[in-house]
Amino acid sequence: MLKVAVLGAGYMGSAVTFPLAHNGIATSLWGTWLDDELIDGALAGCHPKLRKPLPDGVKLFRTGELKEAVRGADAVFIAVTSDGFEPVFRKLLDATDGKPCLLAMTKGFVQHGGMVQPISTVAEELFRKRFRGAPFLWASVGGPVKAVELAEGIPTATIFGVKSPRLKPLVVNFATGYYRIFFTDDVRGVELCSALKNVYAIATGISDGMYEGCGAYYHNFKALLFNQSLREIAAVVQAAGGREDTVFDLPGAGDLYVTSASGRNGMFGRRIGRGEVPSRAYGAMLREGDIAEGYHALRLGKTFIEQLGGDLLEKLHLFNTLYSIIFQGNDCRREMEQFVLRYGSGD
Amino acid sequence: MLKVAVLGAGYMGSAVTFPLAHNGIATSLWGTWLDDELIDGALAGCHPKLRKPLPDGVKLFRTGELKEAVRGADAVFIAVTSDGFEPVFRKLLDATDGKPCLLAMTKGFVQHGGMVQPISTVAEELFRKRFRGAPFLWASVGGPVKAVELAEGIPTATIFGVKSPRLKPLVVNFATGYYRIFFTDDVRGVELCSALKNVYAIATGISDGMYEGCGAYYHNFKALLFNQSLREIAAVVQAAGGREDTVFDLPGAGDLYVTSASGRNGMFGRRIGRGEVPSRAYGAMLREGDIAEGYHALRLGKTFIEQLGGDLLEKLHLFNTLYSIIFQGNDCRREMEQFVLRYGSGD
């Protein structure tokens, strides 16, 4: 019998227990030091984020019980926030023998060793220091997956970026009729798409905030932003060693489509588009337990792109527009208008 | 002073008069034999589709006045339905000296010479027969443009597929602060994207019809369909001599994004997803003056793809699913479930 542990009892970690349990996999769900309320709720019969009971048989573990949660696991999903990734990953390395496959649902960049790095890079470095010579069996998980919908059994496609083909025979066991699994070997492409789509979903959110309630539709504007987002994500992914075709598939186009349609990053953008000061909007959401990951990915992503060198950053008109609005205090409407004018008509 | 004539007084033809008039271009709008009511409404001060007055100075012409409408025009936009394309284009050839640039907003396939062909192919053949040796100055116009939004001045990006660079200096005169114009030389890619996105918007519409009102969100499913649509459009465009990068830019991803968000093809799909018989849904919409262009593009597109040869058609799982539902009377829910199961988990 397969055994899988899931780290992080928020939306995504809890949601992935549904297809796992559906397949009869022995499933553990471990809550971080921030997840006590979520574990309490789940134990009481209703997960507070998903607003439903977790599947029968899913074993719940509190923060002090990591070792028990991962004991004998064939694979470990890591589904914590990007902020929490490094501390949780270090604990995980201490709690295992290095044998389980590592499946990262956490998206984003981390600051590590004086640099901003993608999560898989940091994970590999930490893993290799701890378990010299052992195979690093890693997947970056991406694609258009809203957790609540996955938990409801809505047809969903996900894509696992894996370097080692050894993961595939394991991962296919997680698929169900509603959880469809694809593979790619472009790990870098998957994880950068997952991180950057949170940034660009802020842009479509801003258009919602600017135009909703005005009595006019603005699909053209949203599509313009969506399209420019794909162009810019493709430029970053390629510069970082990923592939363009990854961006134009489930990890990029698919996930950006979902993330633009609903979610916390779009909500963050909407508040900005309505005129809220970005840092206050971020703080207000945080106090309600909603982290707009794109806020951090924008800040760290800028450094990551600068590290890549060349003139890449200056070509990313929409990225720079977002940075200017969110971290430099510039007026949202004026910046968005300037963006539109810099765009098209001869390019 | 530039002069531009627009053929077809429906949504798109009427909407493009806004940026033209904004630029001080002498603009004529000609209504086909089906457009009398639209011209009447516009003359009375409110265009019945756009629900607002046309810009000051736009000259309106009825079906018998085509020669007057196009006299001295530097460019002619053709914005009729795909059904109406060939008869209108033949009339246009009789009414001009072959000198105006031809800018096609009409999307889709036409039956011509025992084959199903893209509009630009048929247009070029008819043009060359009529004006031997004259330059065929053609653009296929695409990208995410909802007519009502363009008429409202919502920021909009469009892309002109042009073979001859001679068109660019003319076309850039149509741009405004809200109507941003891009160019590509992949005419075939633009026109196939424009036609096929109407087909695939039916699929996302079907997901709306299946799930809306169920109390659950289904963004994951819509994104899965959106993503598969892009994959399939890319396969057809490449087989037909267009380029993949066109599909992943404004003509494909951008336009499919808009078309999936609202419009007549989505509405057609929604009715099917709710359980209506497709041919009846199409007829009911037609009686209200709403043509779901994707219905015809699906039927003609199938023949077009068959003409391309090879095993392309059988790889287009979503296209075949739509054909099966719409033209072969198969059950919508069962076919969509089968599509999801054929999809992913190892591919």
Side-chain angles (χ1 to χ4, degrees), chain B residues 285-323:
Chain B
M285 287 180 65
L286 191 63
R287 281 191 295 280
E288 290 166 23
D290 288 326
I291 294 174
E293 286 268 12
Y295 180 81
H296 299 290
L298 174 59
R299 185 172 52 83
L300 294 174
K302 178 158 181 280
T303 306
F304 178 74
I305 293 162
E306 284 166 347
Q307 287 167 197
L308 292 173
D311 59 352
L312 175 60
L313 183 61
E314 66 195 68
K315 288 182 193 160
L316 307 177
H317 294 322
L318 185 53
F319 190 95
N320 290 319
T321 299
L322 291 171
Y323 196 88

Side-chain angles (χ1 to χ4, degrees), chain A residues 146 149 155-156 175 180-182 211 217-221 223 227 231 248-250 258 340-341 343-346, chain B residues 146 149 155-156 175 180-182 211 217-221 223 227 231 248-250 258 340-341 343-346:
Chain A
K146 288 273 160 197
E149 299 178 21
T156 297
R180 312 305 296 162
I181 296 179
F182 290 80
Y211 282 102
Y217 287 104
Y218 51 94
H219 299 109
N220 293 1
F221 189 36
N227 200 76
R231 286 182 177 186
F248 296 121
D249 205 59
L250 294 165
V258 149
V340 172
L341 288 174
Y343 173 91
S345 303
Chain B
K146 288 274 162 197
E149 298 179 22
T156 297
R180 313 304 298 162
I181 296 179
F182 290 79
Y211 282 102
Y217 287 104
Y218 50 95
H219 298 109
N220 293 1
F221 188 37
N227 201 77
R231 287 181 177 185
F248 296 121
D249 205 60
L250 294 165
V258 149
V340 172
L341 288 174
Y343 173 90
S345 303

Side-chain angles (χ1 to χ4, degrees), chain B residues 144-327:
Chain B
V145 185
K146 288 274 162 197
V148 171
E149 298 179 22
L150 176 58
E152 289 297 328
I154 297 291
T156 297
T158 185
I159 185 161
F160 282 63
V162 296
K163 279 274 181 261
S164 165
R166 280 176 58 185
L167 275 80
K168 286 193 193 182
L170 174 74
V171 170
V172 291
N173 293 297
F174 308 158
T176 69
Y178 61 86
Y179 187 56
R180 313 304 298 162
I181 296 179
F182 290 79
F183 292 101
T184 173
D185 62 359
D186 183 11
V187 178
R188 182 51 42 97
V190 171
E191 67 178 335
L192 289 180
C193 283
S194 294
L196 291 169
K197 66 98 176 44
N198 288 331
V199 173
Y200 287 100
I202 299 172
T204 46
I206 285 175
S207 75
D208 289 327
M210 285 171 69
Y211 282 102
E212 70 190 356
C214 294
Y217 287 104
Y218 50 95
H219 298 109
N220 293 1
F221 188 37
K222 261 186 116 157
L224 178 165
L225 296 171
F226 178 83
N227 201 77
Q228 180 65 12
S229 300
L230 283 185
R231 287 181 177 185
E232 296 190 7
I233 295 173
V236 177
V237 164
Q238 286 180 289
R243 292 201 311 266
E244 196 176 32
D245 61 289
T246 305
V247 180
F248 296 121
D249 205 60
L250 294 165
D255 200 358
L256 185 63
Y257 185 87
V258 149
T259 312
S260 299
S262 87
R264 289 165 281 180
N265 296 293
M267 174 51 69
F268 175 56
R270 199 168 297 132
R271 296 177 80 134
I272 296 169
R274 285 178 196 146
E276 261 185 83
V277 173
S279 58
R280 286 193 205 146
Y282 179 81
M285 287 180 65
L286 191 63
R287 281 191 295 280
E288 290 166 23
D290 288 326
I291 294 174
E293 286 268 12
Y295 180 81
H296 299 290
L298 174 59
R299 185 172 52 83
L300 294 174
K302 178 158 181 280
T303 306
F304 178 74
I305 293 162
E306 284 166 347
Q307 287 167 197
L308 292 173
D311 59 352
L312 175 60
L313 183 61
E314 66 195 68
K315 288 182 193 160
L316 307 177
H317 294 322
L318 185 53
F319 190 95
N320 290 319
T321 299
L322 291 171
Y323 196 88
S324 158
I325 294 168
I326 294 172
F327 292 111

Side-chain angles (χ1 to χ4, degrees), chain A residues 187-217:
Chain A
V187 178
R188 182 52 41 98
V190 171
E191 67 178 335
L192 289 180
C193 283
S194 293
L196 291 169
K197 66 98 176 42
N198 287 332
V199 173
Y200 288 100
I202 300 173
T204 46
I206 285 176
S207 75
D208 288 329
M210 285 171 67
Y211 282 102
E212 71 190 356
C214 293
Y217 287 104

